Amino acid sequence: MNPLSPSQFLSIPENHAAHGGRVDHMIDVVHWLMIALFVGWTLFFLFTLFRFRQSANPKASYVGVKNHISSHLEIGIIILEAVLLLGFAFPLWKERTDSWEQVQRLDPARVRVIGWQFGWTYHYPGEDGKFGRIDHRLKASNSDPGIDLTDPNALDDFTTSVLRLPKGRPSILNITSNDVIHNYAIIPMRIQQDAIPGREIPMWFTANSELETSVVCGQLCGEGHGNMAGQMEVISDGNYREWAKQQSDAAIERNSPEEPVAQVVE
Ligand SMILES: [Cu+2]
C-alpha cells in the first residue's frame, strides 16, 4: 500500500479494471488538494481568531482587509482546480469516449443490466451476439426484462441474477431500469452509470483479474435501496466463453417450439 495515496488509505476497494489506475490517480490529486485546503483554511481561521481577538481590537474596523493576499490565494486555487479538471479529468474522459469505436472491434462481452426495485437482472445476447427485442408489455414481474421470444434474435438470449464477465477482454454493459432511477456501480472496476427507465446507456471496462466481488446501487431509489448489492464474478475468458455457450444452447432448447415427433410408417 502506498501511504501517499488517499485512494488506498481511504479504504476504497482495490482496483481491478484496466483504466482504474487513472481514476485512482484522479482521486489522489483531488484529495491532496482538499487536504491542503482544509489545513490552510483551518490555520487561517485560527490565525483570525487570534489576530482579531476582542481584547486587542476593542473597536471594530470599518475598512477591512487592506492587502490582496486572499484574492491571490483564491485565484491560485481556481487555477489548481482548472488544472485538475482540464489536465486530468478531461483527458481521462476523452480517452474513455474516444476508444469506444476501438472497443467494438475487440470482441467485447455484452450484457444488458436492468435495475429494478430492488435488484438487478442481467440479459445476455447469447451466441448470436444480438439482443432479442424488448417489449415492455411482456414483463411478467418487475425484474423481468420483457424479452420478446417471437424475435429470432431472442431465442438464444438468457438472463442471470449474477453478473459474469471475462477477464482481459472489454465488457460493454448497457444500463437501464424497469422502474425508477438507479445507479449501477462496480467500485472495484471504478465505474458507475445511472440506470434510467426508457434509456439504455452503455458503459465499458476491462476487468484485469479473476475475482468475486459485489455491485451496488449508487442512487437512493426507495426503501430497499440497500438490498441492491449484487454478486459479480470475473472468470477466465475461456471459462466465460464455455459458460456463455452452455447458457445459450440451453436457452435455444428451452425456447424452440417442440420438434414434431417423426412418424414411423410401417
Ligand atoms: Cu436502486
Side-chain angles (χ1 to χ4, degrees):
M1 194 182 93
N2 178 359
L4 291 178
S5 173
S7 64
Q8 291 184 33
F9 66 67
L10 289 174
S11 311
I12 300 172
E14 204 187 327
N15 163 49
H16 291 281
H19 73 281
R22 293 188 61 190
V23 175
D24 284 1
H25 179 246
M26 191 73 221
I27 292 172
D28 287 347
V29 289
V30 168
H31 276 82
W32 279 118
L33 175 65
M34 292 304 135
I35 290 167
L37 287 180
F38 174 73
V39 172
W41 285 122
T42 304
L43 290 175
F44 178 72
F45 174 63
L46 295 174
F47 166 75
T48 53
L49 283 184
F50 171 75
R51 171 67 182 74
F52 302 107
R53 65 195 186 280
Q54 197 192 12
S55 61
N57 307 272
K59 197 165 172 295
S61 161
Y62 294 100
V63 182
V65 182
K66 292 190 198 98
N67 64 43
H68 295 289
I69 294 176
S70 62
S71 315
H72 295 320
L73 273 174
E74 282 289 2
I75 291 168
I77 289 164
I78 290 170
I79 291 172
L80 254 175
E81 286 176 351
V83 167
L84 289 185
L85 191 64
L86 302 173
F88 295 100
F90 277 22
L92 176 55
W93 177 249
K94 182 179 184 304
E95 183 198 289
R96 301 282 303 155
T97 50
D98 283 0
S99 48
W100 176 245
E101 294 291 318
Q102 191 196 334
V103 168
Q104 310 295 317
R105 292 191 289 270
L106 292 173
D107 186 23
R110 292 176 193 272
V111 191
R112 291 180 67 241
V113 178
I114 301 110
W116 44 274
Q117 285 174 317
F118 294 96
W120 306 101
T121 300
Y122 303 102
H123 172 193
Y124 288 80
E127 286 297 291
D128 67 355
K130 292 180 186 140
F131 291 107
R133 209 174 70 82
I134 297 299
D135 186 338
H136 297 283
R137 289 165 299 187
L138 294 174
K139 289 174 185 171
S141 70
N142 202 26
S143 60
D144 186 343
I147 303 168
D148 179 1
L149 291 176
T150 61
D151 176 7
N153 290 335
L155 294 180
D156 62 351
D157 288 19
F158 59 94
T159 61
T160 63
S161 56
V162 172
L163 176 66
R164 201 162 274 159
L165 292 175
K167 175 194 158 189
R169 183 154 66 96
S171 298
I172 299 181
L173 272 48
N174 285 1
I175 315 297
T176 187
S177 167
N178 263 0
D179 40 45
V180 301
I181 296 176
H182 301 273
N183 178 290
Y184 193 66
I186 317 177
I187 309 300
M189 297 297 154
R190 299 297 188 266
I191 200 149
Q192 64 187 117
Q193 170 62 52
D194 271 349
I196 300 174
R199 297 196 64 183
E200 249 182 52
I201 308 173
M203 72 180 197
W204 75 272
F205 59 91
T206 303
N208 58 14
S209 20
E210 287 176 38
L211 78 156
E212 278 181 34
T213 185
S214 55
V215 306
V216 291
C217 181
Q219 184 69 260
L220 192 57
C221 59
E223 56 176 354
H225 166 68
N227 303 336
M228 288 187 72
Q231 251 182 299
M232 169 186 178
E233 291 172 17
V234 179
I235 55 181
S236 75
D237 194 25
N239 286 347
Y240 176 81
R241 287 179 194 272
E242 198 178 311
W243 169 78
K245 172 109 177 48
Q246 272 170 12
Q247 297 291 317
S248 176
D249 290 348
I252 292 175
E253 201 146 303
R254 216 171 30 240
N255 298 327
S256 300
E258 296 277 309
E259 297 274 325
V261 182
Q263 296 274 324
V264 181
V265 182
E266 306 253 340

